[in-house]
Amino acid sequence: MLEHKDGQQKKEVKPPLLVIKNLSKSYIPGVLAVDDVNLTVNKGEIFALLGSSGCGKSTLLRMLAGFEKPTSGKIILDGQDLSNVPPYKRPVNMMFQSYALFPHMTVWNNIAFGLKQKHMPKDEIKENVEQMLALVHMEEFADRKPHQLSGGQRQRVALARSLATHPKLLLLDEPMGALDKKLRTKMQLELVDIIEKVGVTCIMVTHDQQEAMTMAERVAIMDCGEFLQVGDPEEIYENPNCRFTAEFIGSVNIFDGVLGENGSDFMYVECPALQNKIYIDAGAAIADGMKLSVAIRPEKITLSKEKPQQECNFEEGIVDNIAYMGDVSIYLIKLQSGQIVRTTLPNVDRFRKNQPTWDDKVFISWEPDSCIVLTI
Amino acid sequence: MKLKTSRLRRLHFRGSSCVIGAPYLWTILFFFIPFLIIFKISFADVSDTSQPPYSDLTSYEDNHVNIALNVGNYLDLFRCEDEEDCNVWKIDYDFLNFESVGLNIRDSLKGFFDAISTEFHVTIYIEAFWNSVKIAAVSTLICLLIGYPMAWSIAHSSQAMRSVLLMLVILPSWTSFLIRVYAWIGLLKPNGTINNVLMWFGIIHEPLNMMHTSFAVYIGVVYAYLPFMIMPLYTAISRVDNSLIEAAEDLGAKPFTILTKILLPLTSGGMIAGSMLVFIPAVGEYIIPELLGGPYNILIGQQLWIDFSNNHDWPKAAAIAVAMLLFLLVPIIWYFKQQKNEGVSK
């Protein structure tokens, strides 16, 4: 999610545009590619479906476009039930992963294609195409063929083409999938900029969590055809509701343990892999002795050479490996139990003086509120 | 090390030039040289005394080398001096009669048409050639119309089904071409399979006369050359990215628009290749019209054989062959130009 200065304003409640009700799809009887999905997307929202390949996110997107017929359930866009509307009649346009630009047509004709299907008068088509070309800054390339464009330019043409007919819903299938990493970051911001300028509601599919978090206002984590968690990027990163989400988004250290002493606003977790207990400053409505996991993000773990002055939430270990990433270094710390803990250390000092090195004895520690308790 | 790689590269270069050179050598040995011989014969005279029955172009006499080029073989293809070698084409301009709309163009144009003769005298060669081109062109079109949907369904069937269907397309070529054409006689003749079945069902009461007609020739040519149309079309269609079709659909294009605006332009290379593979051999086709066609409207391939075998007029036959090749060069050159353009656009 892009942080806007006028973020407060953006939070205002928008009316729902797309309602998905109990949507399921199975290709093989008994195997559900999409399993009873319910979702409401608001007008003007950028929504991301995030999951690894085969999780059903593409099937869901293709059902929205009309390329796949739902086995059961409903898709309602702006009050209209789309279930039996063929793709060419839906006010939904898709930007394909491969962009699917027509290779035998110029950029201009590619963008004009959808407008021509609407039998728009010629001068109106011209006006619209020029507007779209200006929107994506491709005016000079109007007469080029797709193969004469770079990857980024092709993406912009594909976006212009899918926006030209002013769809109510824009679908992006792995929008950055065909771009190299450097260009990706640039285009992510540019794409969001254009989409927000047009104000179109947008659903994107991606397997890249960074992309989803940069571009989308809300993200749904999908696995095995189901939504595991739906929320804004911060919520999903800081408060994952299950082990899969915690592990899928970002890196995480997970300690399996059992619930020990606990009260209404605190609990202790005893982990076989740790010598000290974990203290969490929040209560849990679960029974004593229950198995649970504690997840801690690497950047919330402090690394030091001196023993921390606290009774809980610290461990002793040795530096097993260091990966220098430029802005930070990733430290892999081997605990006495053998478990590897991942932590990061910002490279504030250019020559990294006084930083622990391989095989150094170190201590890791964390704050009680950094711990995420996971029961599933 | 550097020396070693450069030597390797040179070796590699030699190896690759050998591989590339093989088809060139093949073409030179088995096409270009025989063609030059034919070309030479086409300028000779018929000779009853020599064997083979044509005269030498060069003769040596009184310390002079005489070269005699007989262009008459070529001229004979076009000029109508000998009445028995010529047919008359009449142009019927009755269709220009617009009296029904109160406008009589015919009378005003009559003088004009009378002035330029409405009868064309054409040689049997021109006529045979015209027949061949007509049959080849119409057959190519029919092959295209039948082959396209077939190629489409093969390209869009499941992986396992695809190989079976492709096999079925190629399978007939495993039997001899001659036998396959002969088999059509059994189907088309008056007491053949088709007539018997139709009469048994009572659809017809007298056998249809299908043998020895242009209809039979069309059937034979379309049947024999259809695989040559399907194969390049199949390749072209399966190369079209399915997401392009989905994208067109997504942008509001109806199925017919997708066909005309996306699919046909993107598979034009395959359509051209298939058409060439059907048209070019069909123009010179000999066996099919000989077995299935009638005594009238003979084709250029048959005419060539008559001159070569019955009339022992090798130079005339050679001239026909050269003229035919020159004519067919036009579509071949166009085809290669198209291929080149396509290469640029991809």
Side-chain angles (χ1 to χ4, degrees):
Chain A
M1 181 174 59
L2 291 170
E3 297 280 351
H4 286 263
K5 276 180 194 159
D6 53 349
Q8 287 309 96
Q9 259 182 323
K10 285 187 68 69
K11 287 272 160 72
E12 80 183 271
V13 186
K14 300 164 190 165
L17 179 83
L18 175 76
V19 179
I20 297 173
K21 278 185 189 162
N22 306 99
L23 194 68
S24 293
K25 170 78 189 175
S26 72
Y27 293 103
I28 312 153
V31 184
L32 288 169
V34 171
D35 189 358
D36 196 30
V37 161
N38 287 289
L39 177 69
T40 303
V41 177
N42 297 329
K43 206 164 189 159
E45 196 176 18
I46 301 177
F47 190 89
L49 299 172
L50 182 59
S52 46
S53 59
C55 73
K57 59 191 196 300
S58 291
T59 306
L60 180 53
L61 198 76
R62 289 174 62 80
M63 280 196 281
L64 293 176
F67 299 136
E68 305 287 352
K69 242 181 133 52
T71 311
S72 65
K74 271 186 178 170
I75 300 167
I76 297 155
L77 180 69
D78 213 5
Q80 185 198 4
D81 185 359
L82 288 185
S83 305
N84 288 314
V85 180
Y88 61 87
K89 282 187 185 158
R90 291 189 185 203
V92 176
N93 278 355
M94 178 147 152
M95 191 176 100
F96 289 78
Q97 183 177 7
S98 61
Y99 309 140
L101 295 174
F102 305 127
H104 58 300
M105 293 183 195
T106 59
V107 166
W108 207 96
N109 282 325
N110 261 290
I111 298 174
F113 187 85
L115 301 169
K116 282 180 188 164
Q117 307 312 316
K118 287 188 165 181
H119 304 290
M120 204 181 253
K122 270 204 172 128
D123 46 335
E124 234 175 284
I125 291 180
K126 189 167 181 281
E127 196 183 311
N128 259 295
V129 172
E130 275 162 10
Q131 206 182 327
M132 283 300 143
L133 282 169
L135 182 71
V136 297
H137 312 295
M138 289 289 289
E139 294 102 322
E140 314 135 67
F141 301 99
D143 295 327
R144 296 259 188 108
K145 291 270 185 76
H147 71 270
Q148 295 165 311
L149 302 175
S150 69
Q153 291 169 333
R154 274 183 221 179
Q155 189 187 48
R156 283 190 232 170
V157 176
L159 182 67
R161 186 179 71 173
S162 45
L163 286 175
T165 50
H166 300 287
K168 285 180 184 165
L169 182 65
L170 176 70
L171 306 174
L172 306 176
D173 186 8
E174 298 277 1
M176 305 300 158
L179 299 180
D180 54 74
K181 203 171 178 195
K182 187 97 187 162
L183 198 56
R184 244 177 235 198
T185 326
K186 182 173 167 277
M187 289 308 289
Q188 280 167 358
L189 301 178
E190 206 174 307
L191 215 65
V192 171
D193 217 36
I194 293 169
I195 291 168
E196 283 184 346
K197 211 183 271 177
V198 177
V200 67
T201 312
C202 178
I203 294 184
M204 60 184 278
V205 147
T206 180
H207 66 273
D208 181 346
Q209 41 141 326
Q210 208 162 8
E211 190 175 303
M213 292 171 99
T214 312
M215 294 176 70
E217 286 160 57
R218 277 200 302 154
V219 179
I221 309 293
M222 270 189 96
D223 187 43
C224 298
E226 286 180 89
F227 282 177
L228 295 181
Q229 191 172 5
V230 181
D232 66 44
E234 192 181 322
E235 192 182 329
I236 285 181
Y237 186 78
E238 302 295 357
N239 288 309
N241 64 359
C242 64
R243 197 178 174 131
F244 182 89
T245 309
E247 281 179 325
F248 190 76
I249 299 281
S251 322
V252 72
N253 299 298
I254 291 189
F255 305 106
D256 295 318
V258 225
L259 183 66
E261 193 187 335
N262 69 94
S264 62
D265 58 352
F266 76 95
M267 61 175 144
Y268 286 96
V269 179
E270 286 159 26
C271 303
L274 303 177
Q275 291 185 314
N276 304 310
K277 286 179 194 165
I278 298 178
Y279 169 72
I280 301 164
D281 60 352
I286 39 178
D288 273 19
M290 187 176 168
K291 278 187 183 171
L292 46 77
S293 310
V294 175
I296 307 167
R297 298 282 181 196
E299 74 278 4
K300 294 182 174 67
I301 292 177
T302 316
L303 191 63
S304 63
K305 286 181 181 170
E306 290 89 37
K307 189 175 176 185
Q309 297 302 308
Q310 57 199 62
E311 281 176 19
C312 298
N313 294 354
F314 79 96
E315 277 307 302
E316 191 186 318
I318 53 165
V319 177
D320 191 56
N321 218 334
I322 308 168
Y324 174 70
M325 308 300 286
D327 51 349
V328 292
S329 289
I330 295 170
Y331 278 76
L332 298 181
I333 311 298
K334 192 176 198 170
L335 302 184
Q336 279 168 339
S337 64
Q339 184 170 354
I340 305 280
V341 174
R342 189 185 166 102
T343 170
T344 55
L345 206 58
N347 292 323
V348 185
D349 181 60
R350 200 174 146 212
F351 301 101
R352 293 191 286 150
K353 279 176 274 177
N354 301 324
Q355 280 197 10
T357 181
W358 276 273
D359 295 331
D360 276 2
K361 189 174 144 188
V362 287
F363 292 91
I364 54 167
S365 59
W366 55 89
E367 294 302 314
D369 63 359
S370 298
C371 302
I372 307 155
V373 180
L374 302 169
T375 50
I376 39 172
Chain B
M1 190 65 198
K2 206 168 194 177
L3 201 119
K4 205 173 173 185
T5 51
S6 76
R7 193 181 295 163
L8 265 175
R9 200 171 295 159
R10 212 177 304 150
L11 264 174
H12 172 73
F13 173 71
R14 266 189 221 144
S16 69
S17 63
C18 278
V19 173
I20 295 168
Y24 279 108
L25 193 70
W26 181 272
T27 313
I28 289 168
L29 277 180
F30 299 112
F31 174 73
F32 199 65
I33 293 174
F35 176 74
L36 283 181
I37 296 170
I38 299 274
F39 193 63
K40 192 197 99 179
I41 297 173
S42 74
F43 287 107
D45 262 323
V46 184
S47 154
D48 291 330
T49 51
S50 55
Q51 192 56 244
Y54 59 88
S55 63
D56 275 333
L57 294 187
T58 51
S59 56
Y60 188 73
E61 217 173 285
D62 300 336
N63 291 333
H64 287 286
V65 176
N66 295 322
I67 301 175
L69 290 182
N70 179 13
V71 207
N73 293 319
Y74 287 97
L75 293 178
D76 280 348
L77 300 181
F78 302 102
R79 68 181 169 193
C80 279
E81 282 177 350
D82 197 350
E83 273 300 315
E84 67 177 272
D85 270 357
C86 282
N87 288 333
V88 176
W89 283 3
K90 284 199 181 111
I91 288 195
D92 181 12
Y93 54 91
D94 258 359
F95 63 91
L96 287 171
N97 196 338
F98 287 105
E99 271 167 333
S100 54
V101 272
L103 188 84
N104 197 338
I105 296 178
R106 188 190 176 186
D107 282 350
S108 52
L109 287 174
K110 199 169 172 33
F112 172 74
F113 275 104
D114 281 346
I116 62 155
S117 163
T118 57
E119 287 182 356
F120 290 91
H121 292 265
V122 292
T123 60
I124 48 172
Y125 304 105
I126 296 283
E127 195 173 63
F129 195 70
W130 169 246
N131 286 336
S132 298
V133 170
K134 193 173 68 184
I135 286 186
V138 174
S139 304
T140 305
L141 198 70
I142 296 171
C143 280
L144 196 59
L145 291 177
I146 302 174
Y148 205 96
M150 283 175 84
W152 167 268
S153 44
I154 294 172
H156 286 83
S157 54
S158 66
Q159 193 79 42
M161 198 63 195
R162 204 177 306 162
S163 4
V164 173
L165 291 173
L166 281 175
M167 202 62 200
L168 287 177
V169 170
I170 308 165
L171 206 63
S173 334
W174 288 13
T175 18
S176 143
F177 185 72
L178 201 61
I179 289 172
R180 278 181 289 145
V181 178
Y182 256 108
W184 274 105
I185 298 179
L187 290 170
L188 294 171
K189 66 185 177 184
N191 60 347
T193 316
I194 294 175
N195 274 320
N196 285 345
V197 168
L198 287 177
M199 288 203 327
W200 190 80
F201 278 111
I203 296 166
I204 53 167
H205 301 290
E206 270 173 48
L208 294 171
N209 186 24
M210 292 182 289
M211 265 310 285
H212 305 302
T213 60
S214 300
F215 173 72
V217 177
Y218 280 123
I219 286 203
V221 173
V222 169
Y223 163 76
Y225 290 103
L226 192 58
F228 298 94
M229 181 63 91
I230 292 176
M231 282 306 170
L233 279 179
Y234 161 76
T235 315
I237 291 171
S238 51
R239 262 198 313 201
V240 174
D241 184 357
N242 203 44
S243 67
L244 292 178
I245 294 163
E246 283 181 345
E249 206 182 357
D250 191 55
L251 290 165
K254 295 186 180 72
F256 184 73
T257 317
I258 295 174
L259 179 72
T260 55
K261 293 279 161 63
I262 308 293
L263 208 53
L264 291 185
L266 286 177
T267 53
S268 63
M271 295 201 292
I272 291 167
S275 299
M276 289 297 124
L277 288 178
V278 175
F279 180 79
I280 291 170
V283 169
E285 183 52 54
Y286 171 75
I287 293 174
I288 296 169
E290 190 68 20
L291 292 180
L292 303 177
Y296 310 108
N297 297 329
I298 62 161
L299 305 189
I300 194 72
Q302 293 168 286
Q303 185 60 49
L304 195 149
W305 179 247
I306 289 168
D307 274 316
F308 178 77
S309 167
N310 300 10
N311 301 348
H312 289 278
D313 193 345
W314 283 31
K316 179 70 67 54
I320 296 174
V322 173
M324 237 173 92
L325 186 88
L326 290 179
F327 175 83
L328 290 178
L329 270 181
V330 177
I332 292 171
I333 289 169
W334 179 66
Y335 168 59
F336 277 108
K337 256 200 169 141
Q338 282 283 327
Q339 290 270 303
K340 220 172 159 188
N341 287 347
E342 208 181 323
V344 169
S345 75
K346 265 168 191 169

